[in-house]
Amino acid sequence: MPLALVAVAFGIVEGSLVTVLRLWLDPRAEAFPLVALPAAVSGLERTREAATMVLLASAAHLAAKLPSARFAAFLFLFSVWDLVYYATLRLTLGWPDGLGTWDLLFLLPVPWLAPVYAPLSIALVMLGVGIVTLRHTLRHGAFEVRPLHVAAGVLGGLACIWSFVENENARALRSMPPRYAIEWLVLGLGLGLAGFADAARRNRRRVRRGAAITADAEA
């Protein structure tokens, strides 16, 4: 519950701040997401984004002791924060109009652009992975992963990020991409989910073996 409260509260804070920025920079909602930030604001906004990641990671670190639980807590925090952020924007600005609406997701190290369904899909996957992993660590201890699982997660994440930044004009906020590279999103989510599914299967098998050994010893 405390993790959820932190994520919800910070999602509202983030959404409220972005609402103010949008109303200031694009009051008629005609230019976003191709809105150039003033130089003084651009650096501050990038610093805010970095600070947000530090805050979420720090909260996750404080919430658990096991590395797997800390990572799962970060996934949970990030996903809930992102979902609440979009819900806040919908309530304050009536935006996005739909799941296909383009959004400026991030500025570090370059601008990331994608339809809203992309970050929401990633957030939902992260939420599921985070909840499953946290439940496992609370009941059975560490959620063990192999190097192949880590590689699948990293490559999947990079593929998703590439789908946001692959268009050079979009990276420079000069024009909208002609299309969203959804194939990279599908590849990234597929790799990540495949690695996690295999890790979850191996952990369930390990728990069953341990339970069987305990039952035999007690018998």
PDB file of all heavy atoms in Angstrom, residues 63-93:
ATOM      1  N   ALA A  63      12.054   0.271  -0.086  1.00  0.00           N
ATOM      2  CA  ALA A  63      10.873  -0.565   0.150  1.00  0.00           C
ATOM      3  C   ALA A  63      11.202  -2.035   0.321  1.00  0.00           C
ATOM      4  O   ALA A  63      10.378  -2.806   0.815  1.00  0.00           O
ATOM      5  CB  ALA A  63       9.879  -0.405  -0.997  1.00  0.00           C
ATOM      6  N   ALA A  64      12.385  -2.468  -0.087  1.00  0.00           N
ATOM      7  CA  ALA A  64      12.713  -3.899  -0.043  1.00  0.00           C
ATOM      8  C   ALA A  64      14.204  -4.082   0.205  1.00  0.00           C
ATOM      9  O   ALA A  64      14.996  -3.142   0.075  1.00  0.00           O
ATOM     10  CB  ALA A  64      12.298  -4.568  -1.355  1.00  0.00           C
ATOM     11  N   LYS A  65      14.566  -5.310   0.550  1.00  0.00           N
ATOM     12  CA  LYS A  65      15.966  -5.636   0.811  1.00  0.00           C
ATOM     13  C   LYS A  65      16.578  -6.485  -0.299  1.00  0.00           C
ATOM     14  O   LYS A  65      17.728  -6.292  -0.673  1.00  0.00           O
ATOM     15  CB  LYS A  65      16.102  -6.362   2.153  1.00  0.00           C
ATOM     16  CG  LYS A  65      15.743  -5.503   3.364  1.00  0.00           C
ATOM     17  CD  LYS A  65      15.945  -6.258   4.669  1.00  0.00           C
ATOM     18  CE  LYS A  65      15.617  -5.384   5.875  1.00  0.00           C
ATOM     19  NZ  LYS A  65      15.812  -6.115   7.153  1.00  0.00           N
ATOM     20  N   LEU A  66      15.812  -7.444  -0.814  1.00  0.00           N
ATOM     21  CA  LEU A  66      16.332  -8.306  -1.865  1.00  0.00           C
ATOM     22  C   LEU A  66      16.427  -7.530  -3.178  1.00  0.00           C
ATOM     23  O   LEU A  66      15.532  -6.751  -3.510  1.00  0.00           O
ATOM     24  CB  LEU A  66      15.424  -9.518  -2.061  1.00  0.00           C
ATOM     25  CG  LEU A  66      15.346 -10.505  -0.886  1.00  0.00           C
ATOM     26  CD1 LEU A  66      14.262 -11.544  -1.147  1.00  0.00           C
ATOM     27  CD2 LEU A  66      16.700 -11.186  -0.686  1.00  0.00           C
ATOM     28  N   PRO A  67      17.508  -7.726  -3.961  1.00  0.00           N
ATOM     29  CA  PRO A  67      17.645  -7.031  -5.251  1.00  0.00           C
ATOM     30  C   PRO A  67      16.453  -7.272  -6.175  1.00  0.00           C
ATOM     31  O   PRO A  67      15.980  -6.340  -6.836  1.00  0.00           O
ATOM     32  CB  PRO A  67      18.935  -7.612  -5.830  1.00  0.00           C
ATOM     33  CG  PRO A  67      19.730  -8.024  -4.632  1.00  0.00           C
ATOM     34  CD  PRO A  67      18.718  -8.515  -3.649  1.00  0.00           C
ATOM     35  N   SER A  68      15.959  -8.514  -6.229  1.00  0.00           N
ATOM     36  CA  SER A  68      14.825  -8.804  -7.106  1.00  0.00           C
ATOM     37  C   SER A  68      13.579  -8.056  -6.655  1.00  0.00           C
ATOM     38  O   SER A  68      12.797  -7.558  -7.479  1.00  0.00           O
ATOM     39  CB  SER A  68      14.555 -10.309  -7.132  1.00  0.00           C
ATOM     40  OG  SER A  68      14.300 -10.810  -5.821  1.00  0.00           O
ATOM     41  N   ALA A  69      13.379  -7.937  -5.345  1.00  0.00           N
ATOM     42  CA  ALA A  69      12.219  -7.220  -4.825  1.00  0.00           C
ATOM     43  C   ALA A  69      12.357  -5.722  -5.076  1.00  0.00           C
ATOM     44  O   ALA A  69      11.366  -5.038  -5.362  1.00  0.00           O
ATOM     45  CB  ALA A  69      12.058  -7.493  -3.336  1.00  0.00           C
ATOM     46  N   ARG A  70      13.568  -5.202  -4.968  1.00  0.00           N
ATOM     47  CA  ARG A  70      13.780  -3.783  -5.231  1.00  0.00           C
ATOM     48  C   ARG A  70      13.483  -3.451  -6.699  1.00  0.00           C
ATOM     49  O   ARG A  70      12.852  -2.434  -7.003  1.00  0.00           O
ATOM     50  CB  ARG A  70      15.214  -3.389  -4.881  1.00  0.00           C
ATOM     51  CG  ARG A  70      15.449  -3.257  -3.388  1.00  0.00           C
ATOM     52  CD  ARG A  70      16.913  -3.038  -3.058  1.00  0.00           C
ATOM     53  NE  ARG A  70      17.076  -2.711  -1.648  1.00  0.00           N
ATOM     54  CZ  ARG A  70      18.245  -2.680  -1.021  1.00  0.00           C
ATOM     55  NH1 ARG A  70      19.364  -2.968  -1.701  1.00  0.00           N
ATOM     56  NH2 ARG A  70      18.308  -2.371   0.258  1.00  0.00           N
ATOM     57  N   PHE A  71      13.941  -4.315  -7.603  1.00  0.00           N
ATOM     58  CA  PHE A  71      13.673  -4.085  -9.018  1.00  0.00           C
ATOM     59  C   PHE A  71      12.181  -4.192  -9.302  1.00  0.00           C
ATOM     60  O   PHE A  71      11.612  -3.381 -10.047  1.00  0.00           O
ATOM     61  CB  PHE A  71      14.455  -5.082  -9.874  1.00  0.00           C
ATOM     62  CG  PHE A  71      14.303  -4.852 -11.351  1.00  0.00           C
ATOM     63  CD1 PHE A  71      14.797  -3.702 -11.941  1.00  0.00           C
ATOM     64  CD2 PHE A  71      13.646  -5.780 -12.147  1.00  0.00           C
ATOM     65  CE1 PHE A  71      14.646  -3.473 -13.302  1.00  0.00           C
ATOM     66  CE2 PHE A  71      13.497  -5.566 -13.512  1.00  0.00           C
ATOM     67  CZ  PHE A  71      13.991  -4.407 -14.086  1.00  0.00           C
ATOM     68  N   ALA A  72      11.527  -5.173  -8.689  1.00  0.00           N
ATOM     69  CA  ALA A  72      10.087  -5.330  -8.871  1.00  0.00           C
ATOM     70  C   ALA A  72       9.336  -4.122  -8.318  1.00  0.00           C
ATOM     71  O   ALA A  72       8.354  -3.660  -8.912  1.00  0.00           O
ATOM     72  CB  ALA A  72       9.611  -6.609  -8.181  1.00  0.00           C
ATOM     73  N   ALA A  73       9.799  -3.605  -7.185  1.00  0.00           N
ATOM     74  CA  ALA A  73       9.161  -2.422  -6.604  1.00  0.00           C
ATOM     75  C   ALA A  73       9.318  -1.219  -7.529  1.00  0.00           C
ATOM     76  O   ALA A  73       8.391  -0.406  -7.669  1.00  0.00           O
ATOM     77  CB  ALA A  73       9.769  -2.118  -5.235  1.00  0.00           C
ATOM     78  N   PHE A  74      10.474  -1.104  -8.176  1.00  0.00           N
ATOM     79  CA  PHE A  74      10.667  -0.003  -9.125  1.00  0.00           C
ATOM     80  C   PHE A  74       9.714  -0.135 -10.305  1.00  0.00           C
ATOM     81  O   PHE A  74       9.112   0.856 -10.744  1.00  0.00           O
ATOM     82  CB  PHE A  74      12.113   0.029  -9.623  1.00  0.00           C
ATOM     83  CG  PHE A  74      12.354   1.066 -10.682  1.00  0.00           C
ATOM     84  CD1 PHE A  74      12.502   2.401 -10.324  1.00  0.00           C
ATOM     85  CD2 PHE A  74      12.408   0.721 -12.020  1.00  0.00           C
ATOM     86  CE1 PHE A  74      12.703   3.377 -11.305  1.00  0.00           C
ATOM     87  CE2 PHE A  74      12.607   1.683 -12.999  1.00  0.00           C
ATOM     88  CZ  PHE A  74      12.755   3.014 -12.636  1.00  0.00           C
ATOM     89  N   LEU A  75       9.581  -1.341 -10.839  1.00  0.00           N
ATOM     90  CA  LEU A  75       8.648  -1.553 -11.944  1.00  0.00           C
ATOM     91  C   LEU A  75       7.228  -1.179 -11.533  1.00  0.00           C
ATOM     92  O   LEU A  75       6.490  -0.541 -12.294  1.00  0.00           O
ATOM     93  CB  LEU A  75       8.687  -3.010 -12.405  1.00  0.00           C
ATOM     94  CG  LEU A  75       9.986  -3.509 -13.037  1.00  0.00           C
ATOM     95  CD1 LEU A  75       9.847  -4.974 -13.437  1.00  0.00           C
ATOM     96  CD2 LEU A  75      10.379  -2.664 -14.238  1.00  0.00           C
ATOM     97  N   PHE A  76       6.837  -1.591 -10.334  1.00  0.00           N
ATOM     98  CA  PHE A  76       5.502  -1.271  -9.828  1.00  0.00           C
ATOM     99  C   PHE A  76       5.322   0.240  -9.686  1.00  0.00           C
ATOM    100  O   PHE A  76       4.313   0.813 -10.137  1.00  0.00           O
ATOM    101  CB  PHE A  76       5.286  -1.966  -8.483  1.00  0.00           C
ATOM    102  CG  PHE A  76       3.961  -1.661  -7.851  1.00  0.00           C
ATOM    103  CD1 PHE A  76       2.825  -2.361  -8.220  1.00  0.00           C
ATOM    104  CD2 PHE A  76       3.853  -0.671  -6.883  1.00  0.00           C
ATOM    105  CE1 PHE A  76       1.587  -2.078  -7.643  1.00  0.00           C
ATOM    106  CE2 PHE A  76       2.626  -0.380  -6.301  1.00  0.00           C
ATOM    107  CZ  PHE A  76       1.499  -1.087  -6.681  1.00  0.00           C
ATOM    108  N   LEU A  77       6.288   0.894  -9.059  1.00  0.00           N
ATOM    109  CA  LEU A  77       6.206   2.336  -8.864  1.00  0.00           C
ATOM    110  C   LEU A  77       6.134   3.078 -10.193  1.00  0.00           C
ATOM    111  O   LEU A  77       5.297   3.966 -10.385  1.00  0.00           O
ATOM    112  CB  LEU A  77       7.426   2.828  -8.074  1.00  0.00           C
ATOM    113  CG  LEU A  77       7.415   2.618  -6.569  1.00  0.00           C
ATOM    114  CD1 LEU A  77       8.814   2.796  -5.999  1.00  0.00           C
ATOM    115  CD2 LEU A  77       6.463   3.616  -5.917  1.00  0.00           C
ATOM    116  N   PHE A  78       7.012   2.712 -11.115  1.00  0.00           N
ATOM    117  CA  PHE A  78       7.075   3.402 -12.401  1.00  0.00           C
ATOM    118  C   PHE A  78       5.764   3.241 -13.160  1.00  0.00           C
ATOM    119  O   PHE A  78       5.240   4.202 -13.730  1.00  0.00           O
ATOM    120  CB  PHE A  78       8.241   2.860 -13.225  1.00  0.00           C
ATOM    121  CG  PHE A  78       8.508   3.646 -14.480  1.00  0.00           C
ATOM    122  CD1 PHE A  78       9.522   4.590 -14.513  1.00  0.00           C
ATOM    123  CD2 PHE A  78       7.740   3.457 -15.619  1.00  0.00           C
ATOM    124  CE1 PHE A  78       9.764   5.327 -15.670  1.00  0.00           C
ATOM    125  CE2 PHE A  78       7.966   4.186 -16.775  1.00  0.00           C
ATOM    126  CZ  PHE A  78       8.987   5.129 -16.801  1.00  0.00           C
ATOM    127  N   SER A  79       5.231   2.038 -13.172  1.00  0.00           N
ATOM    128  CA  SER A  79       4.024   1.776 -13.953  1.00  0.00           C
ATOM    129  C   SER A  79       2.815   2.506 -13.378  1.00  0.00           C
ATOM    130  O   SER A  79       2.046   3.135 -14.117  1.00  0.00           O
ATOM    131  CB  SER A  79       3.758   0.272 -14.021  1.00  0.00           C
ATOM    132  OG  SER A  79       3.615  -0.295 -12.736  1.00  0.00           O
ATOM    133  N   VAL A  80       2.635   2.443 -12.056  1.00  0.00           N
ATOM    134  CA  VAL A  80       1.497   3.133 -11.438  1.00  0.00           C
ATOM    135  C   VAL A  80       1.633   4.640 -11.607  1.00  0.00           C
ATOM    136  O   VAL A  80       0.664   5.347 -11.921  1.00  0.00           O
ATOM    137  CB  VAL A  80       1.372   2.760  -9.950  1.00  0.00           C
ATOM    138  CG1 VAL A  80       0.278   3.588  -9.274  1.00  0.00           C
ATOM    139  CG2 VAL A  80       1.070   1.271  -9.808  1.00  0.00           C
ATOM    140  N   TRP A  81       2.832   5.152 -11.410  1.00  0.00           N
ATOM    141  CA  TRP A  81       3.096   6.584 -11.610  1.00  0.00           C
ATOM    142  C   TRP A  81       2.725   6.999 -13.037  1.00  0.00           C
ATOM    143  O   TRP A  81       2.058   8.017 -13.245  1.00  0.00           O
ATOM    144  CB  TRP A  81       4.575   6.854 -11.334  1.00  0.00           C
ATOM    145  CG  TRP A  81       5.112   8.122 -11.923  1.00  0.00           C
ATOM    146  CD1 TRP A  81       4.891   9.393 -11.467  1.00  0.00           C
ATOM    147  CD2 TRP A  81       5.948   8.249 -13.074  1.00  0.00           C
ATOM    148  NE1 TRP A  81       5.555  10.297 -12.265  1.00  0.00           N
ATOM    149  CE2 TRP A  81       6.214   9.623 -13.258  1.00  0.00           C
ATOM    150  CE3 TRP A  81       6.528   7.326 -13.949  1.00  0.00           C
ATOM    151  CZ2 TRP A  81       7.007  10.095 -14.289  1.00  0.00           C
ATOM    152  CZ3 TRP A  81       7.319   7.787 -14.989  1.00  0.00           C
ATOM    153  CH2 TRP A  81       7.551   9.157 -15.157  1.00  0.00           C
ATOM    154  N   ASP A  82       3.119   6.220 -14.029  1.00  0.00           N
ATOM    155  CA  ASP A  82       2.845   6.558 -15.426  1.00  0.00           C
ATOM    156  C   ASP A  82       1.343   6.521 -15.721  1.00  0.00           C
ATOM    157  O   ASP A  82       0.796   7.409 -16.380  1.00  0.00           O
ATOM    158  CB  ASP A  82       3.591   5.585 -16.338  1.00  0.00           C
ATOM    159  CG  ASP A  82       3.837   6.169 -17.715  1.00  0.00           C
ATOM    160  OD1 ASP A  82       3.946   7.405 -17.828  1.00  0.00           O
ATOM    161  OD2 ASP A  82       3.917   5.392 -18.676  1.00  0.00           O
ATOM    162  N   LEU A  83       0.672   5.503 -15.232  1.00  0.00           N
ATOM    163  CA  LEU A  83      -0.769   5.382 -15.475  1.00  0.00           C
ATOM    164  C   LEU A  83      -1.543   6.522 -14.808  1.00  0.00           C
ATOM    165  O   LEU A  83      -2.470   7.095 -15.402  1.00  0.00           O
ATOM    166  CB  LEU A  83      -1.271   4.030 -14.958  1.00  0.00           C
ATOM    167  CG  LEU A  83      -0.737   2.793 -15.702  1.00  0.00           C
ATOM    168  CD1 LEU A  83      -1.103   1.526 -14.945  1.00  0.00           C
ATOM    169  CD2 LEU A  83      -1.292   2.734 -17.125  1.00  0.00           C
ATOM    170  N   VAL A  84      -1.160   6.869 -13.574  1.00  0.00           N
ATOM    171  CA  VAL A  84      -1.832   7.971 -12.871  1.00  0.00           C
ATOM    172  C   VAL A  84      -1.519   9.302 -13.549  1.00  0.00           C
ATOM    173  O   VAL A  84      -2.380  10.203 -13.622  1.00  0.00           O
ATOM    174  CB  VAL A  84      -1.419   7.996 -11.388  1.00  0.00           C
ATOM    175  CG1 VAL A  84      -1.955   9.238 -10.688  1.00  0.00           C
ATOM    176  CG2 VAL A  84      -1.913   6.742 -10.692  1.00  0.00           C
ATOM    177  N   TYR A  85      -0.307   9.441 -14.062  1.00  0.00           N
ATOM    178  CA  TYR A  85       0.084  10.653 -14.798  1.00  0.00           C
ATOM    179  C   TYR A  85      -0.859  10.903 -15.968  1.00  0.00           C
ATOM    180  O   TYR A  85      -1.390  12.011 -16.139  1.00  0.00           O
ATOM    181  CB  TYR A  85       1.528  10.494 -15.268  1.00  0.00           C
ATOM    182  CG  TYR A  85       1.954  11.444 -16.353  1.00  0.00           C
ATOM    183  CD1 TYR A  85       2.221  12.780 -16.060  1.00  0.00           C
ATOM    184  CD2 TYR A  85       2.106  11.011 -17.669  1.00  0.00           C
ATOM    185  CE1 TYR A  85       2.623  13.658 -17.053  1.00  0.00           C
ATOM    186  CE2 TYR A  85       2.511  11.879 -18.664  1.00  0.00           C
ATOM    187  CZ  TYR A  85       2.767  13.199 -18.355  1.00  0.00           C
ATOM    188  OH  TYR A  85       3.166  14.068 -19.344  1.00  0.00           O
ATOM    189  N   TYR A  86      -1.106   9.874 -16.782  1.00  0.00           N
ATOM    190  CA  TYR A  86      -1.998  10.039 -17.928  1.00  0.00           C
ATOM    191  C   TYR A  86      -3.445  10.261 -17.476  1.00  0.00           C
ATOM    192  O   TYR A  86      -4.190  11.028 -18.103  1.00  0.00           O
ATOM    193  CB  TYR A  86      -1.904   8.836 -18.860  1.00  0.00           C
ATOM    194  CG  TYR A  86      -0.718   8.915 -19.790  1.00  0.00           C
ATOM    195  CD1 TYR A  86       0.369   8.057 -19.658  1.00  0.00           C
ATOM    196  CD2 TYR A  86      -0.683   9.872 -20.807  1.00  0.00           C
ATOM    197  CE1 TYR A  86       1.463   8.149 -20.499  1.00  0.00           C
ATOM    198  CE2 TYR A  86       0.409   9.967 -21.654  1.00  0.00           C
ATOM    199  CZ  TYR A  86       1.481   9.109 -21.497  1.00  0.00           C
ATOM    200  OH  TYR A  86       2.562   9.212 -22.331  1.00  0.00           O
ATOM    201  N   ALA A  87      -3.843   9.597 -16.411  1.00  0.00           N
ATOM    202  CA  ALA A  87      -5.194   9.817 -15.885  1.00  0.00           C
ATOM    203  C   ALA A  87      -5.368  11.263 -15.424  1.00  0.00           C
ATOM    204  O   ALA A  87      -6.427  11.873 -15.638  1.00  0.00           O
ATOM    205  CB  ALA A  87      -5.464   8.858 -14.732  1.00  0.00           C
ATOM    206  N   THR A  88      -4.329  11.823 -14.809  1.00  0.00           N
ATOM    207  CA  THR A  88      -4.389  13.216 -14.363  1.00  0.00           C
ATOM    208  C   THR A  88      -4.515  14.172 -15.537  1.00  0.00           C
ATOM    209  O   THR A  88      -5.314  15.120 -15.506  1.00  0.00           O
ATOM    210  CB  THR A  88      -3.130  13.561 -13.536  1.00  0.00           C
ATOM    211  OG1 THR A  88      -3.024  12.670 -12.419  1.00  0.00           O
ATOM    212  CG2 THR A  88      -3.184  14.992 -13.022  1.00  0.00           C
ATOM    213  N   LEU A  89      -3.730  13.920 -16.593  1.00  0.00           N
ATOM    214  CA  LEU A  89      -3.816  14.776 -17.778  1.00  0.00           C
ATOM    215  C   LEU A  89      -5.196  14.693 -18.428  1.00  0.00           C
ATOM    216  O   LEU A  89      -5.724  15.693 -18.925  1.00  0.00           O
ATOM    217  CB  LEU A  89      -2.740  14.377 -18.792  1.00  0.00           C
ATOM    218  CG  LEU A  89      -1.290  14.674 -18.412  1.00  0.00           C
ATOM    219  CD1 LEU A  89      -0.349  14.227 -19.519  1.00  0.00           C
ATOM    220  CD2 LEU A  89      -1.091  16.164 -18.133  1.00  0.00           C
ATOM    221  N   ARG A  90      -5.772  13.509 -18.396  1.00  0.00           N
ATOM    222  CA  ARG A  90      -7.108  13.356 -18.968  1.00  0.00           C
ATOM    223  C   ARG A  90      -8.129  14.172 -18.174  1.00  0.00           C
ATOM    224  O   ARG A  90      -9.032  14.799 -18.742  1.00  0.00           O
ATOM    225  CB  ARG A  90      -7.505  11.877 -18.970  1.00  0.00           C
ATOM    226  CG  ARG A  90      -8.880  11.588 -19.542  1.00  0.00           C
ATOM    227  CD  ARG A  90      -8.965  11.947 -21.008  1.00  0.00           C
ATOM    228  NE  ARG A  90     -10.329  11.774 -21.500  1.00  0.00           N
ATOM    229  CZ  ARG A  90     -10.719  12.100 -22.722  1.00  0.00           C
ATOM    230  NH1 ARG A  90      -9.843  12.625 -23.572  1.00  0.00           N
ATOM    231  NH2 ARG A  90     -11.963  11.915 -23.098  1.00  0.00           N
ATOM    232  N   LEU A  91      -7.969  14.193 -16.854  1.00  0.00           N
ATOM    233  CA  LEU A  91      -8.902  14.930 -16.004  1.00  0.00           C
ATOM    234  C   LEU A  91      -8.701  16.440 -16.096  1.00  0.00           C
ATOM    235  O   LEU A  91      -9.669  17.202 -16.049  1.00  0.00           O
ATOM    236  CB  LEU A  91      -8.750  14.480 -14.549  1.00  0.00           C
ATOM    237  CG  LEU A  91      -9.258  13.073 -14.219  1.00  0.00           C
ATOM    238  CD1 LEU A  91      -8.862  12.688 -12.804  1.00  0.00           C
ATOM    239  CD2 LEU A  91     -10.772  12.994 -14.378  1.00  0.00           C
ATOM    240  N   THR A  92      -7.445  16.887 -16.230  1.00  0.00           N
ATOM    241  CA  THR A  92      -7.169  18.331 -16.209  1.00  0.00           C
ATOM    242  C   THR A  92      -7.261  18.973 -17.586  1.00  0.00           C
ATOM    243  O   THR A  92      -7.699  20.127 -17.704  1.00  0.00           O
ATOM    244  CB  THR A  92      -5.769  18.599 -15.626  1.00  0.00           C
ATOM    245  OG1 THR A  92      -4.780  17.887 -16.404  1.00  0.00           O
ATOM    246  CG2 THR A  92      -5.699  18.165 -14.174  1.00  0.00           C
ATOM    247  N   LEU A  93      -6.826  18.263 -18.622  1.00  0.00           N
ATOM    248  CA  LEU A  93      -6.783  18.838 -19.962  1.00  0.00           C
ATOM    249  C   LEU A  93      -7.756  18.183 -20.941  1.00  0.00           C
ATOM    250  O   LEU A  93      -7.904  18.665 -22.064  1.00  0.00           O
ATOM    251  CB  LEU A  93      -5.360  18.708 -20.543  1.00  0.00           C
ATOM    252  CG  LEU A  93      -4.243  19.479 -19.829  1.00  0.00           C
ATOM    253  CD1 LEU A  93      -2.896  19.131 -20.466  1.00  0.00           C
ATOM    254  CD2 LEU A  93      -4.481  20.976 -19.911  1.00  0.00           C
TER     255      LEU A  93
END
